[in-house]
Amino acid sequence: MSRSLRDLESLLPELDAAPADALEDQDLDFKEWPERSREKAVDQVVEMAICMANGGGGTVVFGVRDRVVGRADALLGVPPEIDVNLLLKAVYDRTDPRLTPVFEDLFVPEGTGRLLIMQVHGGLPPYTDSQGGAKVRVGKDCQPMTGSLRRRVLIETGETDFTAGLVEGRPADLLSASAMEQLRDAARRERAPEDLLHLSDHDLLAALDLLTQGRLNFAGLFLAGHPEALRRHLPSYVWTHVRMASDTAYSDRLDGNDALPVALNRMLDRIMADNPISTLELGLFHHEYRAYPEIALREALMNALCHQDFRIGGPLLVSQYPDRIEIANAGGFIGGVSPHNILRHRPVPRNPLLVNALVRLRLVNRMNLGVRRMFQSMLEEGKAPPNLAEHGESVVVSFRKQPISGPFRLFVADEGQAGRILSVEHLLILHDLLGHPELDTARAARLCQRTEPAARDLLNEMETGLGYLERGGTGRGTYWVLRPDLHRRLAGPGHPERNRRIAWEAAKTRTLSVLKDRARRGEPGLSNQEIRQITHYDRNQVVRLMLELRAENPDIRLGGAGRSARYSVDCARK
């Protein structure tokens, strides 16, 4: 997805509080223009065009230093004599298949006054240069197109859908009657079309494109196959549920080779057998809540089953510890999806034919709602959301075992009755502010996986529209806190409201004291990293803290740029 000039203009003010590198994403990169070598500059343009095209398309902004804070220092610009027609010809001539990006100028008052924008549209990768070399966009980085990455690109484009392959043998000998019935039952609960569910087994599989020329494909085998057929034709697939007594020992284990609906139900049954219940009074009724919401577990298991990479050996592993559950499937994130954008990224199916059949049965959707449901079901009960991580060639979803927060759940219910339905983003912000004294725009953007302008709009809505938050500070030093009455309500009895600015002021006092001590001893000042160690804040919070501190203390100076930048006290004025 490309970024418009308007989108980019709205991002540029953020450079005063964060380096350009922090604003980058799968579809956005900032690059400094190599002024000393025209050849290197053209090489960089060609390389970035290939990288972005292989990663699904995106926008490259040339003329920006990506590791400095401060708009004036970051926006160096592109020489005015650079001819975009020559760049377009170079990209076209040196790529295979041919790429034709769109170049645009963005004029700014800093540097040369000109930023060069390259919009690259995703096509049918892989793309290489004329010598066969290539890179691909993975998160914020352009990585060499190794064999495994080439395979990943082919999977993402549907060129190598393993589940579309055909299985040897008569379909009737491969299918499980129990699996077919459980598949129908699950689809009926999700209100799949009745005319589809009333078809015979053969006609239902054919309607779902699971039969090709009378033969069952691997998607059909995985959805309705007999365990013996699955063991024979899909030997790499197995699911395992383990009850862990500790991090190094387990008390109980079960392995299976069942078709998807059977495997889902068997794993859920085992998890729910050790999923404690809490009772909460809501009005006249007493409601029961599990430590792990069933909807969150079901969505996590379904995601793991759908995105299983059948080419990679290893089980779909469910590890149930005394304090957490971990669900891991073979196959890492693909298509630019990462733990840092999964809430908002378009879904990318690893097994398109399998997913298409599940979509028609309404067991999954194309709107990436599954992950949001996991987050929503945990957050509505006042619990921390699941943690998603990529470990090598696998994705791991972790749920912490937590008691329900009665005050938080009651608040969500009351808001719903009043017609205010809280989104995942609303819940993330409320949950964060119960554990932290304040929230700034930068952290809200990372938390909600949004741009900073979008995060700022969300915080403004929660302040002025919903009345949940209060604003403090000004300009780049703006922060938000929970309204005192809401904090008392959500935290519950026994948690008196704290003075939420004490920690911030104490951090400024401590930092200023260290700076003065170092100046008296003739030692260098403090870097952003060193101040983070002193205050336990993140990079953007330190930038904001130091902006306030410098405004209050004119003796503090900032020297250097990038990682060599240091804050110090001007001894000459003392």
Side-chain angles (χ1 to χ4, degrees), residues 234-391:
L234 277 179
S236 65
Y237 162 66
V238 63
W239 63 264
T240 299
H241 176 271
V242 183
R243 299 188 198 280
M244 302 295 296
S246 67
D247 286 342
T248 57
Y250 67 88
S251 60
D252 179 45
R253 168 176 175 161
L254 183 66
D255 301 294
N257 301 89
D258 309 281
L260 184 149
V262 181
L264 178 64
N265 289 333
R266 292 187 69 188
M267 286 187 285
L268 266 177
D269 287 345
R270 284 180 60 84
I271 295 172
M272 299 300 285
D274 188 18
N275 190 5
I277 296 175
S278 299
T279 301
L280 180 64
E281 184 177 348
L282 291 174
L284 300 176
F285 302 96
H286 290 76
H287 297 265
E288 294 182 341
Y289 293 90
R290 298 277 188 173
Y292 305 105
E294 183 174 351
I295 186 173
L297 296 171
R298 183 177 293 275
E299 294 292 348
L301 290 170
M302 183 63 82
N303 273 356
L305 287 162
C306 289
H307 292 287
Q308 183 84 355
D309 191 337
F310 297 104
R311 300 171 178 84
I312 300 176
L316 189 162
L317 180 60
V318 180
S319 303
Q320 191 161 357
Y321 295 85
D323 62 345
R324 70 189 187 279
I325 290 177
E326 295 180 354
I327 300 172
N329 66 275
F333 289 113
I334 61 174
V337 179
S338 76
H340 308 296
N341 65 15
I342 195 167
L343 285 174
R344 308 196 64 78
H345 200 286
R346 62 178 178 83
V348 183
R350 185 189 305 280
N351 304 303
L353 188 63
L354 171 65
V355 171
N356 287 341
L358 291 169
V359 167
R360 295 197 60 191
L361 293 170
R362 299 190 179 176
L363 298 180
V364 300
N365 62 77
R366 299 187 188 276
M367 300 174 63
N368 198 27
L369 297 181
V371 174
R372 294 184 69 84
R373 285 172 180 159
M374 282 192 280
F375 276 67
Q376 185 103 15
S377 61
M378 296 289 288
L379 290 164
E380 283 183 342
E381 297 182 7
K383 300 172 181 176
N387 180 67
L388 292 92
E390 186 173 33
H391 297 164

Side-chain angles (χ1 to χ4, degrees), residues 407 434 482-497:
L434 278 175
L482 279 176
R483 289 177 57 96
D485 56 334
L486 182 58
H487 184 276
R488 287 191 295 269
R489 179 180 178 183
L490 296 181
H495 296 276
E497 184 186 5

